[in-house]
Amino acid sequence: MSLAPPNFPDLKTDQVESYLHPSVSVPEGLNNNVLVTTIDRLYNWSRRSSMWPLLFGLACCAIEMIATASSRFDLSRFGMEVMRPSPRQSDLMIVSGTVTKKMVPAIVRIYNQMAEPRYVIAMGACATGGGPFKEGYNVVSGIDKYVPVDVYIPGCPPTPEALMFGLMKMHQKVDTQSVTTADWYKREGSAFVPVPHLGPDIFDPRQADLIRAETMSGEAVAADTGGDRAEGGVPGGLRNLGEKAKARIAQAKERAAARLAG
Amino acid sequence: MSDIVAPSTTVAGPLDVAGTLALVQEALPDAKPVSAGPTDYLEVAPDQLIEALQVLRDQGGCDLLSSITCTDYLSYQGRARAKDGPRFEVVYHLYSTAQGGDCVVLHVPVDDGESLPTATPVYPGANLQEREVWDLYGLVFDGHPNLRRILLWEGFEGHPMRKDWHEAYYEEDQKPFRSRHPRADFARSEDKVPWGKNTRYPADWDPDDWQEPVTYVPVSQDPRSRNGAGDHLSTESVVVNLGPHHPSTHGVFRMIVRIEGETVIALEPDMGYLHRNHEKIGERNTWLMNMPFTDRLDYINSMSNNWGYALAVEKLMGLEVPERAEYLRVIMAELSRIVNHLWSIGFILNDLGALQTPALYAIEEREMILDLFESVSGARMMCNYLRFGGVHRDLPAGWAERARYVVHERLPRALDQLDDLLSGNEIVNTRGRGVGYLSAEQLISLSVTGPMIRAAGVPYDIRRCEPYGVYDRFDFDIPTLPHSDVYDRYYIRLLEARESVRIVQQALAGLPEGDILAGKGGYVFRPPEGEAYGRVEGPKGELGFYLVSDGKPNPYRYHIRAPSYINLNALAPMTVGYKVADAIVILGAIDIVLGEVDR
C-alpha cells in the first residue's frame, strides 16, 4: 500500500523537469526509470542542495545567521544546516559581520584553506562596504577589498529572510556555472589570495609597490586630508581626489541644483 | 533545586560619596575638588594616585574599581576648563559593592609624555582597562605587569583615540559632514586614497623592509614545566591557540593557552578582532546619532544598551522621563535580559557538548520576544528604541496582549522546561560544579560584575543598589548562589530570567497611560558642559557610559564601560588549574559578546 498521492508521477516529473536534458528525450516506457540530463545540471544540483557553510561568525550578523539556522527559519530545508567549523569541509563562507583589520589576515587564511569550488557571501552592511563603522580606523570597508565576493546581502543586520534570499541567489549562481568553464578546473584557476600583513597599518602585499611609491614620494599620504571646520578649511578632503570621485561630485551637484530649480 | 538558592536582596545603604571624597582630601590635602555638571570629582596628582586609591579601598569601602578611562582635552572648546592644563585626564570610577549608591570619581591629569602609576597592585581589575588606555591614548602606566597593545596590534602606528590622530577616511571632526549636508557633494572615501582602502602609512615607510614585530606574550614564551625535572619522565608544556576563528569562543576572540597535559597552566586572552572604533566614531557623531551605535555593542540585547546611554545623557541634560516611558523601558530591558540569559544558557550547554539542542529550545523563545521588539521598534535586533527623555514610539495596538501571553504563558513554561531538562542533568552537574571557582573577594577585586558575582554570593545589582528608572516600584528578588562555579553561573541566569519575567508581568499590569517622550526631542541639541556616568545593570554586568560634553552638538568624550570586556579580567585566574576543555565552558559562563568586548 502506497501513501503516495494519486498524481505522484506527475509531481515527480514536475520536480525533475528542470534538471532534464533539454533535447535528449527518453524512449516511451523508460520514462519513469531513466532520466537523461547533463553533467552540469546534475553536478550543480548536488552542489547547491548540500552547500555547507563555514561555521564562522564575526559580529551581530552572526546572531541572525544562527537564528536562520535554528528551528524557526530552518536552514536545513536548503541542505545547509551542516555548518562546518573546518574550512576544508565547507563550500561557502558567510562573512557575517564587521571585518576588522586585525581579523582580515585570519579571514584570508581561512578563505585560502577552503577547497574549490568555494563561495563567499558578504552578509550585512559591514561586510559589504564597512557599514556604519566604515570610517573606523580598524575597520575594513568591505571584505571584497581582500577576497572575491559572490553575493552581497544588505541590511544591518539582514533579517533571516534576507539571508535566505541571498542564499537562494547563491544557488542561482551555482546553477549557471559549468564544469567546462569553471575557474577551478582550469590550470591556473584557483589562486591563493595573498595574506595581508599587520604593519604600521594593514597592508596588502599586492599593493606594496603602490604603497612604496606613495610613502617614498616624501608627502604624508592620506594622513590628514580634511579641513578643520573651525579654521574654515576645505571640507571633505577635496584636494587629493581621483577622477572618479570628481565626476561623482559633479553629478551630485547637478542633481542638487536640479532639485533646487525644480 | 531550591535548596541552593539564597535570595538576598539587601544592601547596607547608599555610599556617602561626599564623605568618602572628604576622606581622600583629609589624607591628601593637595587633591582638588572639582564640579563638572552633574558630577563632583577629585583631581589627584599622579604621584598621589596610589595613596588615594588605598584610602578609598581601605577606609572608604570602595571595593570595586569600576571603570578607568582617559580623556584627551586637546581640542576641548568649552569654557569650564583652563586651556593650558595638562592634555590628558585619566578617570577612575569606584563603587562599594556592600553599600551600593553613587560612584566616587577621581581624575588624574597627565601631560603628553608623562606616565602615571598602575592601579593594579590595589585593584587587579585595572589590568585590561589600563592596557586599553595605553593602546588608544599612549599613556604609560608604570609598573603594569603586561602593558601591551590590546585592541590593536603591536606595531600599529600611533594611538588612535588621540584627538589629533586621523584615519585615512577622515573628513571632519563633527558630523553631519559638510560634504553630505546640505550640498551633497559627496565622494567615495575609497577614491580619496591611492590604494582604495582605509589605511595610512608613515612617510618613508617601505613595505619590503617591514618585519613582523616579535612581542613578549606571557604565555607564548617562557616555557614552563611542572614535572619536567622528574627522574624517569620529562614532559614539556605546549601552547595551544584557540581562536580567533574558533566555534567555542563566541565570536572572534582568541585565547592563548599553555597546557601541561590537559591542565591549563597559563592563559592569555587576545582581543580586538572586532574592535570597530565605537568611541572614535561616537565622538564625531551627534549625541543622538550614537543611539543606534549602542545597539551594536552587545548585539544580543540592544534595549539595555540604549538605556545605559540614554541614562547618561539624561543625567547630563537633567531630563525627566515620563512615567509611561519608564515602564516601557523596564519592559524592554527585562525582555532583552531574558533573551540574553536564554541565549547564554543555550550556548553554555553548547560548550558543554550538548550541541545545539538546548540552544534551539532557547532560541525558540527568543524569537517570540524578537517579534515583540520588531513590532514596537521596527527591527528584530537593532531596536534603536530609546530616546533621551523617553522612548521612540508607543506600543502598537494589541502589543500588550501579545506580551502578556509571552510572559504569562510561554516564558514561565519555557524556563521550567529548561530547568527540568538541564539543572539536574548529570553532565551539567559533573562538568559545572566546582569548575572555574574564584572567591567573591577575588572577583570583586578583578572588577567583575553582573551574574558572575551574584553567582558568588554577592547581592550586587544596580537595579537595587542604585535604582534607576522605576525599578524601585517592582517586587523582585536579586537571586544569589554561593558556589561561584560554572554550574552556579548557569543557574543564576535561569533564576534571573525568572525574576525578569516577574518584573515584566508587574510592569505590564501597571503600565500607565501618558506621554512617552519628554522635552522637544530634536536631532541636534547641546547638553550643558560637564561629565556624566550613567550605568545600568545590563544582562552581562554593569554597563556604564562615561560622557563628557563641551557644550557642543557632539559628545567630546564617549566611553563605554563594557561588562563583557572587564569580566574577562577573571578569565585567566579562573581557568588556570582546570582542564583545557573546561576553559571553553568557563569562557562560555562569563557570557561575553565580542561587540561589547572590543567595541
Side-chain angles (χ1 to χ4, degrees):
Chain A
M1 197 177 107
S2 169
L3 289 172
N7 59 342
F8 182 65
D10 296 340
L11 287 175
K12 208 173 166 189
T13 315
D14 281 354
Q15 274 193 354
V16 297
E17 189 72 57
S18 58
Y19 303 108
L20 294 182
H21 196 281
S23 53
V24 181
S25 57
V26 179
E28 197 73 27
L30 285 177
N31 263 346
N32 289 333
N33 299 311
V34 177
L35 302 173
V36 178
T37 183
T38 60
I39 285 286
D40 274 344
R41 290 190 181 189
L42 184 67
Y43 183 56
N44 288 341
W45 166 77
S46 65
R47 281 200 300 136
R48 73 155 165 75
S49 306
S50 63
M51 186 174 261
W52 291 357
L54 182 67
L55 180 56
F56 171 66
L58 288 176
C60 337
C61 289
I63 305 295
E64 284 297 59
M65 188 173 75
I66 296 170
T68 314
S70 63
S71 50
R72 186 183 196 181
F73 298 98
D74 194 12
L75 215 45
S76 57
R77 292 178 292 155
F78 301 88
M80 300 181 80
E81 80 281 16
V82 196
M83 293 216 175
R84 297 279 97 181
S86 161
R88 300 284 186 206
Q89 300 169 341
S90 45
D91 312 307
L92 170 68
M93 180 196 240
I94 302 177
V95 183
S96 51
T98 313
V99 182
T100 62
K101 291 177 182 172
K102 201 171 174 181
M103 190 62 195
V104 123
I107 297 176
V108 173
R109 233 174 250 132
I110 293 168
Y111 176 78
N112 284 338
Q113 286 168 2
M114 285 168 70
E116 290 278 14
R118 57 189 170 187
Y119 301 93
V120 177
I121 285 183
M123 179 185 181
C126 292
T128 303
F133 303 102
K134 178 170 178 175
E135 67 192 277
Y137 50 83
N138 193 29
V139 174
V140 171
S141 39
I143 186 61
D144 58 0
K145 300 261 187 304
Y146 291 94
V147 298
V149 174
D150 295 284
V151 174
Y152 298 87
I153 306 175
C156 188
T159 56
E161 293 91 333
L163 176 59
M164 284 191 291
F165 183 69
L167 294 173
M168 282 147 74
K169 284 282 164 203
M170 187 77 252
H171 292 168
Q172 283 176 14
K173 176 164 185 175
V174 170
D175 276 341
T176 60
Q177 290 180 319
S178 166
V179 287
T180 54
T181 55
D183 279 347
W184 60 88
Y185 279 131
K186 290 181 185 162
R187 190 178 294 274
E188 70 283 2
S190 177
F192 280 92
V193 177
V195 178
H197 301 298
L198 294 172
D201 204 331
I202 193 166
F203 70 96
D204 197 332
R206 292 174 292 193
Q207 291 183 324
D209 290 339
L210 177 62
I211 293 170
R212 190 184 310 105
E214 295 284 342
T215 52
M216 295 311 218
S217 69
E219 294 173 30
V221 183
D224 188 1
T225 50
D228 193 343
R229 189 188 280 248
E231 293 163 10
V234 189
L238 294 183
R239 279 172 290 165
N240 305 324
L241 292 186
E243 289 306 313
K244 263 161 70 187
K246 282 179 186 157
R248 285 175 71 106
I249 292 170
Q251 281 172 11
K253 278 182 179 160
E254 278 169 26
R255 276 201 305 274
R259 229 185 4 252
L260 284 176
Chain B
M1 287 283 138
S2 58
D3 56 320
I4 54 167
V5 185
S8 164
T9 56
T10 49
V11 282
L15 179 72
D16 176 14
V17 174
T20 317
L21 286 178
L23 274 177
V24 181
Q25 263 183 295
E26 209 172 292
L28 305 167
D30 294 345
K32 192 175 93 185
V34 184
S35 182
T39 310
D40 295 326
Y41 63 83
L42 271 185
E43 217 173 85
V44 182
D47 52 346
Q48 294 184 327
L49 169 69
I50 294 299
E51 208 179 324
L53 290 177
Q54 275 169 344
V55 169
L56 282 172
R57 184 189 65 178
D58 300 334
Q59 298 166 36
C62 297
D63 48 0
L64 185 80
L65 175 61
S66 169
S67 156
I68 298 180
T69 187
C70 178
T71 311
D72 177 3
Y73 281 104
L74 183 71
S75 56
Y76 190 81
Q77 291 176 49
R79 292 195 200 87
R81 293 183 60 85
K83 292 279 178 206
D84 53 350
R87 177 170 169 184
F88 299 100
E89 278 192 10
V90 183
V91 186
Y92 296 75
H93 288 87
L94 298 102
Y95 292 105
S96 163
T97 55
Q99 297 165 26
D102 207 348
C103 58
V104 173
V105 190
L106 294 183
H107 279 222
V108 181
V110 190
D111 223 337
D112 199 4
E114 290 177 3
S115 62
L116 67 165
T118 173
T120 44
V122 192
Y123 293 102
N127 184 351
L128 291 184
Q129 302 189 72
E130 286 184 352
R131 277 178 71 187
E132 184 191 326
V133 172
W134 151 247
D135 190 357
L136 302 182
Y137 283 95
L139 288 186
V140 177
F141 290 87
D142 291 331
H144 190 285
N146 186 16
L147 199 65
R148 291 181 299 120
R149 295 247 185 201
I150 185 163
L151 296 176
L152 294 159
W153 59 89
E154 285 305 324
F156 185 83
E157 173 82 9
H159 298 280
M161 281 299 290
R162 290 180 172 219
K163 288 283 181 184
D164 52 359
W165 194 98
H166 294 147
E167 51 277 79
Y169 287 173
Y170 172 80
E171 269 198 59
E172 277 180 90
D173 271 340
Q174 291 155 15
K175 282 180 187 169
F177 293 146
R178 281 178 296 173
S179 65
R180 318 271 168 91
H181 177 81
R183 300 206 313 257
D185 51 350
F186 65 93
R188 280 181 79 226
S189 306
E190 280 91 338
D191 293 336
K192 297 178 198 166
V193 188
W195 33 81
K197 288 178 182 150
N198 184 11
T199 51
R200 42 171 276 176
Y201 309 97
D204 299 334
W205 179 71
D206 189 349
D208 285 348
D209 296 342
W210 174 82
Q211 282 182 323
E212 190 139 12
V214 179
T215 54
Y216 174 76
V217 181
V219 173
S220 69
Q221 298 186 2
D222 184 25
R224 283 185 289 164
S225 181
R226 275 196 187 149
N227 50 2
D231 296 332
H232 58 285
L233 183 68
S234 170
T235 64
E236 196 179 311
S237 59
V238 291
V239 172
V240 174
N241 177 57
L242 296 162
H245 160 62
H246 191 276
S248 70
T249 52
H250 296 228
V252 280
F253 179 68
R254 181 170 171 222
M255 293 190 281
I256 310 162
V257 188
R258 178 166 287 278
I259 54 175
E260 171 90 44
E262 284 268 314
T263 308
V264 176
I265 57 176
L267 183 146
E268 178 77 16
D270 187 10
M271 52 201 100
Y273 294 95
L274 194 54
H275 178 48
R276 42 189 183 181
N277 329 125
H278 259 284
E279 296 183 5
K280 186 88 177 172
I281 297 174
E283 287 170 16
R284 233 165 251 164
N285 285 344
T286 62
W287 293 88
L288 186 60
M289 274 176 175
N290 279 337
M291 189 60 90
F293 278 86
T294 62
D295 288 337
R296 285 151 184 86
L297 280 173
D298 174 358
Y299 36 74
I300 293 176
N301 37 63
S302 55
M303 294 283 197
S304 319
N305 304 343
N306 286 178
W307 201 352
Y309 181 51
L311 201 70
V313 175
E314 281 154 13
K315 233 183 210 180
L316 208 52
M317 297 173 61
L319 267 180
E320 287 289 325
V321 182
E323 204 181 357
R324 182 173 172 84
E326 291 279 24
Y327 271 75
L328 289 177
R329 286 177 174 194
V330 169
I331 293 170
M332 300 304 166
E334 293 307 317
L335 284 176
S336 70
R337 190 186 312 277
I338 297 166
V339 167
N340 180 79
H341 284 353
L342 284 172
W343 186 272
S344 104
I345 288 170
F347 281 80
I348 291 173
L349 267 290
N350 238 2
D351 296 340
L352 278 173
L355 203 61
Q356 293 184 349
T357 309
L360 288 179
Y361 274 72
I363 291 171
E364 195 185 343
E365 299 311 314
R366 172 178 182 263
E367 290 287 339
M368 305 290 295
I369 298 176
L370 290 201
D371 280 352
L372 292 176
F373 286 170
E374 191 174 11
S375 65
V376 75
S377 73
R380 278 160 54 86
M381 278 173 66
M382 306 305 176
C383 300
N384 187 18
Y385 181 57
L386 269 60
R387 292 290 179 272
F388 310 130
V391 296
H392 178 40
R393 286 175 215 179
D394 210 337
L395 300 179
W399 194 91
E401 286 69 42
R402 282 165 60 201
R404 264 184 216 113
Y405 167 70
V406 170
V407 293
H408 285 280
E409 302 287 330
R410 294 282 308 215
L411 288 174
R413 285 185 207 170
L415 292 170
D416 284 347
Q417 188 185 30
L418 280 177
D419 199 356
D420 285 348
L421 289 173
L422 305 177
S423 301
N425 181 293
E426 191 178 337
I427 295 174
V428 176
N429 277 275
T430 45
R431 293 230 23 220
R433 291 210 190 263
V435 172
Y437 172 78
L438 216 54
S439 72
E441 291 73 31
Q442 281 172 307
L443 286 172
I444 291 171
S445 74
L446 288 167
S447 303
V448 175
T449 50
M452 294 274 291
I453 56 167
R454 291 193 288 274
V458 183
Y460 184 71
D461 188 315
I462 298 163
R463 292 175 293 172
R464 193 52 60 78
C465 295
E466 193 196 357
Y468 54 97
V470 284
Y471 275 115
D472 46 358
R473 301 192 195 171
F474 302 116
D475 172 32
F476 64 102
D477 289 330
I478 307 297
T480 58
L481 293 171
H483 300 115
S484 188
D485 54 13
V486 167
Y487 183 88
D488 277 9
R489 283 170 209 146
Y490 144 74
Y491 198 61
I492 194 85
R493 294 198 160 90
L494 204 60
L495 297 175
E496 286 188 12
R498 286 185 200 281
E499 294 304 320
S500 297
V501 171
R502 274 177 71 192
I503 296 173
V504 181
Q505 287 172 349
Q506 293 170 46
L508 281 171
L511 183 64
E513 293 297 321
D515 283 345
I516 54 159
L517 192 60
K520 52 185 196 294
Y523 192 62
V524 175
F525 51 89
R526 296 157 195 260
E529 261 189 272
E531 62 172 71
Y533 182 70
R535 55 174 190 154
V536 294
E537 183 67 36
K540 297 185 165 64
E542 175 190 329
L543 175 68
F545 283 82
Y546 172 71
L547 305 171
V548 177
S549 166
D550 60 350
K552 295 285 178 281
N554 311 65
Y556 188 76
R557 176 80 177 105
Y558 167 77
H559 173 72
I560 303 137
R561 189 259 184 226
S564 301
Y565 176 68
I566 292 162
N567 287 357
L568 280 175
N569 271 320
L571 177 64
M574 264 187 328
T575 315
V576 170
Y578 295 96
K579 304 290 185 217
V580 66
D582 293 331
I584 306 291
V585 197
I586 292 169
L587 177 70
I590 297 180
D591 188 17
I592 58 168
V593 156
L594 267 297
E596 194 178 66
V597 172
D598 295 338
R599 283 154 292 148

